[in-house]
Amino acid sequence: MDDNTFLKFNITIDYFKNLGETIFKKKGEIFITPDDILNGIYVLLKGRIKYLLYSLDGREKIIFIGEPVCIIGDVPTYDRRPAGTFVTALMDLELVFIEYHTVIEAIDNNPDFSKYFITSICNKTRGLMAEMGEQCFQDAESKVLKIIIQFAKHYGDFEKEMIKINFPLSQQFIGNLASLNRVTTARVLKSLREEDIIDIENGKYILKRVSLLD
Amino acid sequence: MDDNTFLKFNITIDYFKNLGETIFKKKGEIFITPDDILNGIYVLLKGRIKYLLYSLDGREKIIFIGEPVCIIGDVPTYDRRPAGTFVTALMDLELVFIEYHTVIEAIDNNPDFSKYFITSICNKTRGLMAEMGEQCFQDAESKVLKIIIQFAKHYGDFEKEMIKINFPLSQQFIGNLASLNRVTTARVLKSLREEDIIDIENGKYILKRVSLLD
């Protein structure tokens, strides 16, 4: 959020400082975990944070990057439910911690704060929607290419700086593995050929960019 | 949202009706599209709606199901940005449409409305977070099983009510196709064997549930 956006709300950093207590976190510190019930919000004055989900097998998914002067923990503070995500300091942080009751009072009595708070939650929703779109609809070309690369790694023979895949791949099979319909699979394969990334010779797929194996 | 939750906010359906105009939509009608700039919110009185994203290749992803008395279009009405999603009537609907300026006035002057409105946006964020978790971390077992089913469809031979996959599948290959690490892949394959869904004989995978091919 840049200075102008912040000024637009007619709120100053001193306003936040007067509402709560200034605290500091070290780079790398995880200061919110999914089961936490938050007693208040953090307003980020300096530094950068990330909201994270972790999968059971240890992969992490960043769902939101926060910069000054964002609010951290708005949703769980407001709805009194567990945080649902990790929040981690990407740099040393300066924050103001504002207690739940002060937050509610400020929402009820200060339209500027209320506006800032609601906009902050809207931004979270927007961020999640954008991530979701990407996540759900990862482009078809990446999916198909990823599958071809896997087959090249496992069933490929080098031939003149290209990799010939010794495996009877069919369009339908690739489409099924990538969860894409026939039309899309055909379109993507055609475009990969036109971009000179793959070729098909005597029914065998050829990966023409060896560097993609790395 | 059940009646109790609604009553908790000290808001009545008549309150909404007095703020706006009652309108009706037919089942199947798409009444919000991603590029729409909304002039106000809809409060759902009867029926059910879904929020949708569509991919370029025509797949749809439901990101939110709304029941009475949910607010539709809260975020885009508040932040004045395009809706970003489709909203479709899953049944015949009765709604109250409340104009932007009336919404803002009600947020500023009626703490009960304000609370209801902010909670509504929190619910959207929560719904998206849950969907995101599922989407990102679709359970490893489903992913692996899906791959084995695809190989069974393409390279399978029926043998005594089972399907023997005539294909040299390796753990690593399956893991790579599913984007899972070695440990997780091994764990999932072990559990699929223990659940008697698959078996491995002389290095060949066997799918023991023919019904999974449907």
Side-chain angles (χ1 to χ4, degrees):
Chain A
M1 187 169 288
D2 59 30
D3 278 358
N4 282 332
T5 319
F6 189 58
L7 291 170
K8 190 176 90 180
F9 288 91
N10 205 20
I11 279 196
T12 62
I13 286 182
D14 283 340
Y15 174 77
F16 288 129
K17 283 189 170 170
N18 287 332
L19 284 185
E21 181 195 357
T22 301
I23 56 171
F24 300 87
K25 303 279 178 192
K26 282 279 169 210
K27 179 177 171 179
E29 195 175 333
I30 298 171
F31 59 101
I32 296 177
T33 62
D35 292 336
D36 290 352
I37 303 283
L38 302 188
N39 295 320
I41 60 170
Y42 300 85
V43 178
L44 181 61
L45 301 187
K46 282 184 198 148
R48 187 182 295 132
I49 57 98
K50 58 180 176 180
Y51 279 69
L52 282 183
L53 298 174
Y54 278 104
S55 70
L56 292 174
D57 51 324
R59 282 170 303 142
E60 77 172 43
K61 172 72 190 168
I62 297 175
I63 55 173
F64 197 78
I65 298 274
E67 310 255 359
V69 185
C70 79
I71 299 178
I72 302 162
D74 37 17
V75 171
T77 296
Y78 197 84
D79 70 10
R80 317 303 294 142
R81 291 166 58 197
T85 61
F86 294 87
V87 179
T88 305
L90 286 171
M91 309 159 58
D92 287 352
L93 307 180
E94 182 183 338
L95 308 131
V96 178
F97 179 75
I98 307 173
E99 281 192 3
Y100 171 69
H101 291 290
T102 311
V103 171
I104 299 301
E105 219 175 86
I107 290 172
D108 285 349
N109 299 314
N110 180 351
D112 287 317
F113 180 85
S114 170
K115 207 174 289 177
Y116 197 71
F117 189 82
I118 300 174
T119 302
S120 167
I121 303 181
C122 286
N123 289 344
K124 302 283 189 313
T125 311
R126 292 287 185 183
L128 279 164
M129 265 171 51
E131 276 296 324
M132 183 71 116
E134 254 177 55
Q135 191 66 30
C136 297
F137 306 132
Q138 186 202 0
D139 82 284
E141 190 165 312
S142 318
K143 284 184 171 177
V144 167
L145 191 54
K146 190 190 139 213
I147 286 164
I148 292 174
I149 290 170
Q150 291 309 331
F151 276 92
K153 276 185 184 168
H154 286 263
Y155 300 100
D157 287 329
F158 274 86
E159 265 185 29
K160 301 179 215 151
E161 320 248 319
M162 300 189 296
I163 297 160
K164 189 169 185 177
I165 300 172
N166 282 310
F167 185 93
L169 281 172
S170 70
Q171 275 198 19
Q172 198 189 337
F173 188 51
I174 293 172
N176 287 348
L177 284 172
S179 302
L180 295 172
N181 64 35
R182 269 161 203 256
V183 178
T184 306
T185 311
R187 179 175 56 72
V188 167
L189 288 170
K190 183 164 171 287
S191 121
L192 287 172
R193 287 176 78 170
E194 283 167 2
E195 293 167 51
D196 214 33
I197 296 172
I198 66 166
D199 203 355
I200 302 174
E201 248 178 40
N202 305 321
K204 294 265 170 75
Y205 279 71
I206 294 166
L207 182 63
K208 300 176 84 171
R209 302 247 178 106
V210 176
S211 61
L212 289 171
L213 290 195
D214 299 336
Chain B
M1 188 168 293
D2 61 30
D3 278 0
N4 282 332
T5 319
F6 188 57
L7 290 170
K8 190 177 91 180
F9 289 92
N10 204 20
I11 279 199
T12 63
I13 287 182
D14 283 341
Y15 174 78
F16 288 129
K17 283 189 171 171
N18 287 331
L19 284 186
E21 181 195 359
T22 302
I23 56 170
F24 300 88
K25 302 280 177 193
K26 282 280 169 208
K27 179 178 169 176
E29 195 174 331
I30 298 171
F31 60 100
I32 295 177
T33 61
D35 292 336
D36 290 351
I37 303 283
L38 302 188
N39 295 319
I41 61 170
Y42 299 85
V43 178
L44 182 62
L45 301 187
K46 283 183 196 149
R48 188 180 295 132
I49 57 98
K50 59 179 176 182
Y51 279 69
L52 283 182
L53 297 175
Y54 279 104
S55 69
L56 292 173
D57 51 324
R59 284 171 300 143
E60 76 173 42
K61 172 73 191 165
I62 297 176
I63 53 171
F64 196 78
I65 298 275
E67 310 256 358
V69 187
C70 78
I71 299 178
I72 302 161
D74 36 19
V75 171
T77 296
Y78 197 83
D79 70 9
R80 318 302 295 139
R81 292 166 55 196
T85 61
F86 293 87
V87 179
T88 306
L90 286 170
M91 310 160 57
D92 288 352
L93 308 180
E94 184 184 337
L95 309 131
V96 178
F97 178 75
I98 307 173
E99 282 191 2
Y100 171 68
H101 291 290
T102 311
V103 171
I104 298 301
E105 218 175 87
I107 290 172
D108 285 348
N109 299 313
N110 181 349
D112 287 317
F113 180 86
S114 170
K115 208 173 290 178
Y116 197 70
F117 188 82
I118 299 175
T119 302
S120 166
I121 302 181
C122 286
N123 290 344
K124 302 282 189 316
T125 311
R126 292 285 185 184
L128 279 165
M129 263 171 52
E131 275 296 324
M132 184 71 116
E134 256 178 53
Q135 191 67 31
C136 298
F137 306 131
Q138 187 203 358
D139 81 284
E141 189 164 313
S142 318
K143 283 185 174 177
V144 167
L145 191 54
K146 193 191 135 209
I147 286 165
I148 292 175
I149 290 169
Q150 291 309 331
F151 276 92
K153 277 186 183 166
H154 286 263
Y155 300 99
D157 285 330
F158 274 88
E159 264 185 29
K160 302 179 213 150
E161 319 249 318
M162 299 189 296
I163 298 159
K164 189 168 183 177
I165 300 172
N166 283 308
F167 185 93
L169 280 173
S170 69
Q171 275 196 22
Q172 197 190 339
F173 187 51
I174 292 172
N176 286 347
L177 282 172
S179 302
L180 295 171
N181 64 35
R182 269 161 202 256
V183 178
T184 306
T185 311
R187 179 175 56 72
V188 167
L189 288 169
K190 183 164 171 285
S191 121
L192 286 172
R193 287 175 79 168
E194 284 166 2
E195 294 168 51
D196 213 32
I197 296 171
I198 66 166
D199 203 356
I200 302 174
E201 248 178 39
N202 305 323
K204 292 266 169 75
Y205 279 71
I206 293 167
L207 182 64
K208 299 176 84 171
R209 302 244 180 106
V210 177
S211 60
L212 288 171
L213 290 194
D214 299 337

PDB file of all heavy atoms in Angstrom, chain B residues 145-146 148-150 152-153 163 192 196-198 207-214:
ATOM      1  N   LEU B 145      -3.743 -41.647  -6.876  1.00  0.00           N
ATOM      2  CA  LEU B 145      -4.738 -42.580  -7.383  1.00  0.00           C
ATOM      3  C   LEU B 145      -5.206 -42.162  -8.784  1.00  0.00           C
ATOM      4  O   LEU B 145      -5.386 -42.996  -9.669  1.00  0.00           O
ATOM      5  CB  LEU B 145      -5.931 -42.644  -6.406  1.00  0.00           C
ATOM      6  CG  LEU B 145      -6.938 -43.761  -6.667  1.00  0.00           C
ATOM      7  CD1 LEU B 145      -6.270 -45.127  -6.723  1.00  0.00           C
ATOM      8  CD2 LEU B 145      -8.034 -43.757  -5.596  1.00  0.00           C
ATOM      9  N   LYS B 146      -5.385 -40.872  -8.959  1.00  0.00           N
ATOM     10  CA  LYS B 146      -5.822 -40.368 -10.258  1.00  0.00           C
ATOM     11  C   LYS B 146      -4.820 -40.772 -11.356  1.00  0.00           C
ATOM     12  O   LYS B 146      -5.210 -41.184 -12.453  1.00  0.00           O
ATOM     13  CB  LYS B 146      -5.948 -38.842 -10.197  1.00  0.00           C
ATOM     14  CG  LYS B 146      -6.678 -38.249 -11.384  1.00  0.00           C
ATOM     15  CD  LYS B 146      -6.563 -36.746 -11.423  1.00  0.00           C
ATOM     16  CE  LYS B 146      -6.245 -36.316 -12.846  1.00  0.00           C
ATOM     17  NZ  LYS B 146      -5.484 -35.081 -12.932  1.00  0.00           N
ATOM     18  N   ILE B 148      -2.704 -43.344 -11.281  1.00  0.00           N
ATOM     19  CA  ILE B 148      -2.760 -44.797 -11.495  1.00  0.00           C
ATOM     20  C   ILE B 148      -3.995 -45.162 -12.334  1.00  0.00           C
ATOM     21  O   ILE B 148      -3.921 -46.002 -13.235  1.00  0.00           O
ATOM     22  CB  ILE B 148      -2.756 -45.533 -10.136  1.00  0.00           C
ATOM     23  CG1 ILE B 148      -1.369 -45.326  -9.480  1.00  0.00           C
ATOM     24  CG2 ILE B 148      -3.057 -47.025 -10.309  1.00  0.00           C
ATOM     25  CD1 ILE B 148      -1.254 -45.894  -8.097  1.00  0.00           C
ATOM     26  N   ILE B 149      -5.107 -44.499 -12.059  1.00  0.00           N
ATOM     27  CA  ILE B 149      -6.322 -44.773 -12.842  1.00  0.00           C
ATOM     28  C   ILE B 149      -6.101 -44.435 -14.323  1.00  0.00           C
ATOM     29  O   ILE B 149      -6.505 -45.183 -15.214  1.00  0.00           O
ATOM     30  CB  ILE B 149      -7.517 -43.986 -12.261  1.00  0.00           C
ATOM     31  CG1 ILE B 149      -7.915 -44.564 -10.897  1.00  0.00           C
ATOM     32  CG2 ILE B 149      -8.714 -44.003 -13.221  1.00  0.00           C
ATOM     33  CD1 ILE B 149      -8.899 -43.717 -10.116  1.00  0.00           C
ATOM     34  N   GLN B 150      -5.436 -43.329 -14.575  1.00  0.00           N
ATOM     35  CA  GLN B 150      -5.182 -42.957 -15.974  1.00  0.00           C
ATOM     36  C   GLN B 150      -4.311 -44.012 -16.670  1.00  0.00           C
ATOM     37  O   GLN B 150      -4.567 -44.383 -17.813  1.00  0.00           O
ATOM     38  CB  GLN B 150      -4.504 -41.585 -16.065  1.00  0.00           C
ATOM     39  CG  GLN B 150      -5.398 -40.417 -15.667  1.00  0.00           C
ATOM     40  CD  GLN B 150      -6.739 -40.415 -16.379  1.00  0.00           C
ATOM     41  OE1 GLN B 150      -6.870 -40.909 -17.500  1.00  0.00           O
ATOM     42  NE2 GLN B 150      -7.760 -39.892 -15.710  1.00  0.00           N
ATOM     43  N   ALA B 152      -4.123 -47.124 -15.809  1.00  0.00           N
ATOM     44  CA  ALA B 152      -4.945 -48.333 -15.931  1.00  0.00           C
ATOM     45  C   ALA B 152      -5.871 -48.236 -17.141  1.00  0.00           C
ATOM     46  O   ALA B 152      -6.075 -49.208 -17.876  1.00  0.00           O
ATOM     47  CB  ALA B 152      -5.746 -48.552 -14.649  1.00  0.00           C
ATOM     48  N   LYS B 153      -6.406 -47.050 -17.379  1.00  0.00           N
ATOM     49  CA  LYS B 153      -7.299 -46.858 -18.530  1.00  0.00           C
ATOM     50  C   LYS B 153      -6.561 -47.074 -19.846  1.00  0.00           C
ATOM     51  O   LYS B 153      -7.109 -47.605 -20.795  1.00  0.00           O
ATOM     52  CB  LYS B 153      -7.878 -45.433 -18.519  1.00  0.00           C
ATOM     53  CG  LYS B 153      -9.092 -45.266 -17.630  1.00  0.00           C
ATOM     54  CD  LYS B 153      -9.690 -43.866 -17.795  1.00  0.00           C
ATOM     55  CE  LYS B 153     -10.866 -43.696 -16.850  1.00  0.00           C
ATOM     56  NZ  LYS B 153     -11.262 -42.279 -16.740  1.00  0.00           N
ATOM     57  N   ILE B 163      -7.240 -54.899 -12.707  1.00  0.00           N
ATOM     58  CA  ILE B 163      -6.601 -54.380 -13.903  1.00  0.00           C
ATOM     59  C   ILE B 163      -5.098 -54.305 -13.690  1.00  0.00           C
ATOM     60  O   ILE B 163      -4.615 -53.615 -12.799  1.00  0.00           O
ATOM     61  CB  ILE B 163      -7.141 -52.986 -14.261  1.00  0.00           C
ATOM     62  CG1 ILE B 163      -8.639 -53.104 -14.557  1.00  0.00           C
ATOM     63  CG2 ILE B 163      -6.435 -52.423 -15.480  1.00  0.00           C
ATOM     64  CD1 ILE B 163      -9.341 -51.812 -14.418  1.00  0.00           C
ATOM     65  N   LEU B 192      -2.359 -46.986  -0.084  1.00  0.00           N
ATOM     66  CA  LEU B 192      -3.282 -47.505  -1.109  1.00  0.00           C
ATOM     67  C   LEU B 192      -3.226 -49.035  -1.172  1.00  0.00           C
ATOM     68  O   LEU B 192      -4.228 -49.694  -1.448  1.00  0.00           O
ATOM     69  CB  LEU B 192      -2.957 -46.910  -2.484  1.00  0.00           C
ATOM     70  CG  LEU B 192      -3.343 -45.449  -2.710  1.00  0.00           C
ATOM     71  CD1 LEU B 192      -2.779 -44.941  -4.038  1.00  0.00           C
ATOM     72  CD2 LEU B 192      -4.852 -45.252  -2.669  1.00  0.00           C
ATOM     73  N   ASP B 196      -6.146 -51.944   0.087  1.00  0.00           N
ATOM     74  CA  ASP B 196      -6.509 -52.937  -0.916  1.00  0.00           C
ATOM     75  C   ASP B 196      -7.072 -52.304  -2.192  1.00  0.00           C
ATOM     76  O   ASP B 196      -7.905 -52.882  -2.874  1.00  0.00           O
ATOM     77  CB  ASP B 196      -7.533 -53.918  -0.310  1.00  0.00           C
ATOM     78  CG  ASP B 196      -7.339 -55.313  -0.902  1.00  0.00           C
ATOM     79  OD1 ASP B 196      -6.186 -55.659  -1.218  1.00  0.00           O
ATOM     80  OD2 ASP B 196      -8.349 -56.023  -1.067  1.00  0.00           O
ATOM     81  N   ILE B 197      -6.599 -51.098  -2.486  1.00  0.00           N
ATOM     82  CA  ILE B 197      -7.039 -50.418  -3.715  1.00  0.00           C
ATOM     83  C   ILE B 197      -6.073 -50.741  -4.854  1.00  0.00           C
ATOM     84  O   ILE B 197      -6.477 -50.907  -5.991  1.00  0.00           O
ATOM     85  CB  ILE B 197      -7.128 -48.892  -3.492  1.00  0.00           C
ATOM     86  CG1 ILE B 197      -8.211 -48.595  -2.445  1.00  0.00           C
ATOM     87  CG2 ILE B 197      -7.436 -48.152  -4.793  1.00  0.00           C
ATOM     88  CD1 ILE B 197      -8.255 -47.158  -1.984  1.00  0.00           C
ATOM     89  N   ILE B 198      -4.800 -50.835  -4.516  1.00  0.00           N
ATOM     90  CA  ILE B 198      -3.819 -51.233  -5.526  1.00  0.00           C
ATOM     91  C   ILE B 198      -2.969 -52.379  -4.978  1.00  0.00           C
ATOM     92  O   ILE B 198      -2.989 -52.673  -3.793  1.00  0.00           O
ATOM     93  CB  ILE B 198      -2.873 -50.073  -5.947  1.00  0.00           C
ATOM     94  CG1 ILE B 198      -1.981 -49.651  -4.753  1.00  0.00           C
ATOM     95  CG2 ILE B 198      -3.658 -48.893  -6.469  1.00  0.00           C
ATOM     96  CD1 ILE B 198      -0.809 -48.777  -5.176  1.00  0.00           C
ATOM     97  N   LEU B 207      -4.600 -52.307 -10.374  1.00  0.00           N
ATOM     98  CA  LEU B 207      -5.711 -51.555  -9.785  1.00  0.00           C
ATOM     99  C   LEU B 207      -6.787 -52.566  -9.438  1.00  0.00           C
ATOM    100  O   LEU B 207      -7.305 -53.269 -10.316  1.00  0.00           O
ATOM    101  CB  LEU B 207      -6.236 -50.519 -10.783  1.00  0.00           C
ATOM    102  CG  LEU B 207      -7.376 -49.627 -10.288  1.00  0.00           C
ATOM    103  CD1 LEU B 207      -6.936 -48.739  -9.126  1.00  0.00           C
ATOM    104  CD2 LEU B 207      -7.896 -48.764 -11.433  1.00  0.00           C
ATOM    105  N   LYS B 208      -7.108 -52.665  -8.138  1.00  0.00           N
ATOM    106  CA  LYS B 208      -7.998 -53.731  -7.698  1.00  0.00           C
ATOM    107  C   LYS B 208      -9.474 -53.320  -7.650  1.00  0.00           C
ATOM    108  O   LYS B 208     -10.327 -54.144  -7.387  1.00  0.00           O
ATOM    109  CB  LYS B 208      -7.532 -54.252  -6.318  1.00  0.00           C
ATOM    110  CG  LYS B 208      -6.114 -54.823  -6.384  1.00  0.00           C
ATOM    111  CD  LYS B 208      -5.600 -55.245  -5.030  1.00  0.00           C
ATOM    112  CE  LYS B 208      -6.091 -56.655  -4.686  1.00  0.00           C
ATOM    113  NZ  LYS B 208      -5.395 -57.142  -3.446  1.00  0.00           N
ATOM    114  N   ARG B 209      -9.742 -52.068  -7.887  1.00  0.00           N
ATOM    115  CA  ARG B 209     -11.130 -51.609  -7.905  1.00  0.00           C
ATOM    116  C   ARG B 209     -11.501 -51.144  -9.306  1.00  0.00           C
ATOM    117  O   ARG B 209     -11.268 -49.992  -9.684  1.00  0.00           O
ATOM    118  CB  ARG B 209     -11.324 -50.423  -6.947  1.00  0.00           C
ATOM    119  CG  ARG B 209     -10.940 -50.737  -5.532  1.00  0.00           C
ATOM    120  CD  ARG B 209     -12.125 -50.676  -4.584  1.00  0.00           C
ATOM    121  NE  ARG B 209     -11.679 -50.999  -3.240  1.00  0.00           N
ATOM    122  CZ  ARG B 209     -11.540 -50.110  -2.268  1.00  0.00           C
ATOM    123  NH1 ARG B 209     -11.866 -48.846  -2.478  1.00  0.00           N
ATOM    124  NH2 ARG B 209     -11.134 -50.476  -1.081  1.00  0.00           N
ATOM    125  N   VAL B 210     -12.105 -52.058 -10.059  1.00  0.00           N
ATOM    126  CA  VAL B 210     -12.444 -51.762 -11.452  1.00  0.00           C
ATOM    127  C   VAL B 210     -13.403 -50.574 -11.537  1.00  0.00           C
ATOM    128  O   VAL B 210     -13.351 -49.772 -12.480  1.00  0.00           O
ATOM    129  CB  VAL B 210     -13.076 -53.008 -12.117  1.00  0.00           C
ATOM    130  CG1 VAL B 210     -13.505 -52.705 -13.525  1.00  0.00           C
ATOM    131  CG2 VAL B 210     -12.053 -54.147 -12.105  1.00  0.00           C
ATOM    132  N   SER B 211     -14.260 -50.431 -10.523  1.00  0.00           N
ATOM    133  CA  SER B 211     -15.267 -49.362 -10.537  1.00  0.00           C
ATOM    134  C   SER B 211     -14.631 -47.965 -10.610  1.00  0.00           C
ATOM    135  O   SER B 211     -15.253 -47.009 -11.062  1.00  0.00           O
ATOM    136  CB  SER B 211     -16.136 -49.453  -9.285  1.00  0.00           C
ATOM    137  OG  SER B 211     -15.328 -49.307  -8.130  1.00  0.00           O
ATOM    138  N   LEU B 212     -13.360 -47.857 -10.188  1.00  0.00           N
ATOM    139  CA  LEU B 212     -12.693 -46.553 -10.215  1.00  0.00           C
ATOM    140  C   LEU B 212     -12.458 -46.042 -11.638  1.00  0.00           C
ATOM    141  O   LEU B 212     -12.192 -44.865 -11.850  1.00  0.00           O
ATOM    142  CB  LEU B 212     -11.353 -46.640  -9.469  1.00  0.00           C
ATOM    143  CG  LEU B 212     -11.448 -46.758  -7.946  1.00  0.00           C
ATOM    144  CD1 LEU B 212     -10.091 -47.054  -7.346  1.00  0.00           C
ATOM    145  CD2 LEU B 212     -12.025 -45.492  -7.350  1.00  0.00           C
ATOM    146  N   LEU B 213     -12.549 -46.951 -12.608  1.00  0.00           N
ATOM    147  CA  LEU B 213     -12.327 -46.532 -14.004  1.00  0.00           C
ATOM    148  C   LEU B 213     -13.487 -45.704 -14.556  1.00  0.00           C
ATOM    149  O   LEU B 213     -13.328 -45.006 -15.554  1.00  0.00           O
ATOM    150  CB  LEU B 213     -12.133 -47.749 -14.914  1.00  0.00           C
ATOM    151  CG  LEU B 213     -10.843 -48.546 -14.741  1.00  0.00           C
ATOM    152  CD1 LEU B 213     -10.653 -49.490 -15.910  1.00  0.00           C
ATOM    153  CD2 LEU B 213      -9.639 -47.623 -14.630  1.00  0.00           C
ATOM    154  N   ASP B 214     -14.644 -45.791 -13.935  1.00  0.00           N
ATOM    155  CA  ASP B 214     -15.825 -45.099 -14.487  1.00  0.00           C
ATOM    156  C   ASP B 214     -15.691 -43.571 -14.418  1.00  0.00           C
ATOM    157  O   ASP B 214     -15.145 -43.063 -13.470  1.00  0.00           O
ATOM    158  CB  ASP B 214     -17.076 -45.528 -13.717  1.00  0.00           C
ATOM    159  CG  ASP B 214     -17.306 -47.029 -13.861  1.00  0.00           C
ATOM    160  OD1 ASP B 214     -16.802 -47.603 -14.837  1.00  0.00           O
ATOM    161  OD2 ASP B 214     -17.978 -47.614 -12.977  1.00  0.00           O
TER     162      ASP B 214
END
